[in-house]
Amino acid sequence: MAAKILDGKATAQSLRQEQAQRVAALQARGITPGLAVVLVGENPASQTYVRNKERACQAVGIYSEVHRLPQSTSQQELLGLIAGLNADPKIHGVLVQLPLPEKLDEEQVILAIRPDKDVDGFHPENAGKLLLGQEAFIPCTPRGILVLLERAGIPVAGREVVVVGRSNIVGKPAGLLLLAQNATVSVCHSRTANLAEHTRRADILVVAVGKPGFITADMVRPGAVVVDVGINRVGDRLVGDVDFEGVSQVAGWITPVPGGVGPMTISMLLENTLEAAERLASA
Ligand code: NDP
């Protein structure tokens, strides 16, 4: 294998120590940062993500509460809970785990979260601020990618970045964030013609498609940095969107799945919650 591993698990672990110190500093001022997570329904992947978030909070001393609601929850009940959390002084961050059951209106739910508690960064106010380059909560996965690159000493400015995927939670904000760091960014999607011509140009290739093994070695420029956001269950294994075996022979750096972007996403949720509490403390 030629590629070096971009180790999200180790990076998140080292960030955890800094985060625990920030929690202690807040506690010395009488503030315990608090995160509320709302989970509706029985989606097994969501249940795992929520458990991991809860554990990560505990590990650094952030207070967390998980509201597990049945699949049958109505829009009004969910909005009522969010209104309560918006007003609760022990809660600094509110997160509604997506996807929601189909009958619920996701857009309206995101809109109901107070923007200064929106630690997922999905509220239109935060999305708009990211677009305008103003201070905002940055969605956790794109922020995690940026911090992972930074901590590995991989420069972004002036480099050719290709993002495959344009979702509101990963692809689009990742593109904007890397653009703000002075990368030259292309964002590809399912209607992109000649995808491999784009991906082969990339110094840094970010893949968030949701298809196992979608990016193969022939689509990657030798020495490129490959960031695999995908999490796909194949049998009893979790695999990314990148064919790790093949691509790691060609790339200069690569994130593993699991252990790459996933732990960084959770780490940035803690970071955003800490920032929310720190902002409130200095308000
Ligand atoms: P979405 O399904 O919302 O978006 C997928 C994107 O991939 C779309 O923009 C789609 O294009 C594009 N796409 C689909 N097929 C192709 C194709 N053949 N060629 C080029 N582009 C294509 O997914 P998400 O962004 O929410 O998630 C992507 C992956 O990342 C999933 O595996 C998810 O589980 C994982 N994930 C991991 C996280 C982590 O912490 N590591 C966090 C969030 C997600 P179009 O817009 O044209 O349809």
Side-chain angles (χ1 to χ4, degrees), residues 49 140-141 164-171 188-192 195 207-211 214 228-232 239-241 257 260-266:
Y49 295 145
C140 300
T141 301
V164 189
R166 58 172 165 181
S167 69
N168 289 338
I169 63 170
V170 187
C188 302
H189 44 80
S190 67
R191 307 288 290 273
T192 296
L195 178 67
V207 189
V209 171
K211 295 189 171 159
F214 179 72
D228 187 355
V229 181
I231 302 179
N232 309 290
V239 299
D241 290 344
V257 176
V261 176
M264 292 304 294
T265 297
I266 293 189

